[in-house]
Amino acid sequence: SQQGEEDPQALSIQEGENATMNCSYKTSINNLQWYRQNSGRGLVHLILIRSNEREKHSGRLRVTLDTSKKSSSLLITASRAADTASYFCAILNFGNEKLTFGTGTRLTIIP
Amino acid sequence: EPEVTQTPSHQVTQMGQEVILRCVPISNHLYFYWYRQILGQKVEFLVSFYNNEISEKSEIFDDQFSVERPDGSNFTLKIRSTKLEDSAMYFCASSERGTGTNYGYTFGSGTRLTVV
C-alpha cells in the first residue's frame, strides 16, 4: 500500500503544549500534504511540502520531510482548544493525480 | 477565500435509488475530484476530471458511478442503484492545476449520504 500511515492514532495534550504527528509512506512521492478535519466536516488543506524540501513553516505549523526514511512530521506549537481535530497526511505520487490519504491522527487539546 | 460548495449537506435515500451529489468548484480551477470517506475510515479517491473527461479513476468507481460537468460551474457525481455500503461522506475537491504542480487541493464540506 502506498498510503500514509499516521502515528499516533490518537493524541491528547494540554492546551499550550506542542503536538507532533508522524506520517510514513512506502513509495517515492511528488509531494506530501497535511489536512485537518473537524468532526463530521470537510478537509482543510494545511500545508504542502515538495519532495525536494525538508522543512516548511506556516504560522504555528512546522512540517518536516525525510525522503530517505519516507516519513514526515507535523508539529503544532502552542496548541489551542480549536486545534482539536483529526489530522491526515496525504501523498501525491508522480504520474497520477490522486491523493492517497492516511488513516489520520485524532488530536484532542485539553483546555 | 474561495470555497468549494457541495449540496446537499445530507441526503437520505432508499436502497436502489439514484442520487446526484452536486459540487461547485472554485471558478478558476481546472481539475476536479471526488473522494469518499466511510464513517471511521480513511478518505478514498474516486475519480479525477479534467477537460471534460475522466482523467483517472479508482477501482471503487465502477459502472454504478458517473461524473458530469453539465455547465461551466457545476460538477456532479451520480450514483445509480445505491447500496447500503455507499453510505459515506462524499467530498468534492478542485485544484488550479493537477499532478506535479505542488498545489494543495480545496475540498468542499462534504455530502453525507445515508442509504437505508
Side-chain angles (χ1 to χ4, degrees):
Chain A
S1 168
Q2 301 176 15
Q3 74 178 76
E5 299 286 346
E6 281 94 339
D7 166 53
Q9 289 187 322
L11 178 64
S12 291
I13 60 172
Q14 293 288 334
E15 191 169 21
E17 294 181 340
N18 296 340
T20 299
M21 290 158 273
N22 302 296
C23 171
S24 60
Y25 57 91
K26 296 183 178 180
T27 65
S28 296
I29 61 170
N30 181 329
N31 63 58
L32 186 146
Q33 305 175 29
W34 285 91
Y35 287 82
R36 185 185 73 226
Q37 184 182 36
N38 291 84
S39 181
R41 305 292 295 277
L43 295 155
V44 176
H45 178 256
L46 295 176
I47 198 164
L48 179 154
I49 187 164
R50 292 187 283 250
S51 59
N52 62 350
E53 296 176 314
R54 292 297 166 256
E55 187 170 312
K56 207 159 181 182
H57 297 254
S58 177
R60 294 185 295 112
L61 306 180
R62 174 179 167 249
V63 168
T64 62
L65 180 65
D66 186 335
T67 52
S68 66
K69 295 181 179 179
K70 291 184 168 57
S71 67
S72 174
S73 67
L74 170 67
L75 169 68
I76 304 174
T77 60
S79 62
R80 304 168 182 168
D83 294 330
T84 293
S86 291
Y87 291 81
F88 296 89
C89 69
I91 61 174
L92 187 67
N93 297 109
F94 289 102
N96 65 48
E97 299 173 38
K98 64 177 184 180
L99 282 176
T100 302
F101 282 82
T103 50
T105 293
R106 175 73 189 157
L107 175 66
T108 303
I109 308 299
I110 303 166
Chain B
E1 188 166 332
E3 292 183 339
V4 173
T5 305
Q6 288 187 245
T7 55
S9 57
H10 190 185
Q11 178 145 7
V12 181
T13 189
Q14 293 274 343
M15 190 169 56
Q17 295 295 306
E18 175 182 286
V19 295
I20 297 177
L21 310 183
R22 304 182 190 277
C23 170
V24 179
I26 293 174
S27 60
N28 65 333
H29 285 188
L30 301 176
Y31 294 80
F32 315 114
Y33 311 87
W34 284 101
Y35 286 77
R36 80 172 185 189
Q37 184 181 33
I38 295 171
L39 186 63
Q41 299 188 24
K42 60 184 172 74
V43 178
E44 301 173 292
F45 169 80
L46 292 177
V47 66
S48 59
F49 191 87
Y50 169 71
N51 200 26
N52 287 321
E53 60 183 24
I54 292 173
S55 48
E56 189 172 352
K57 60 182 181 178
S58 72
E59 319 78 60
I60 303 169
F61 195 88
D62 59 22
D63 292 343
Q64 183 193 7
F65 295 89
S66 62
V67 289
E68 191 178 34
R69 189 156 163 82
D71 53 44
S73 60
N74 290 285
F75 179 51
T76 62
L77 174 68
K78 182 187 291 185
I79 309 174
R80 287 180 282 273
S81 189
T82 50
K83 299 174 281 193
L84 294 177
E85 53 265 40
D86 295 326
S87 294
M89 182 78 93
Y90 288 81
F91 294 107
C92 174
S94 68
S95 68
E96 190 172 348
R97 306 181 201 178
T99 182
T101 56
N102 303 308
Y103 286 83
Y105 296 67
T106 303
F107 280 82
S109 55
T111 293
R112 181 170 297 285
L113 177 65
T114 303
V115 182
V116 296

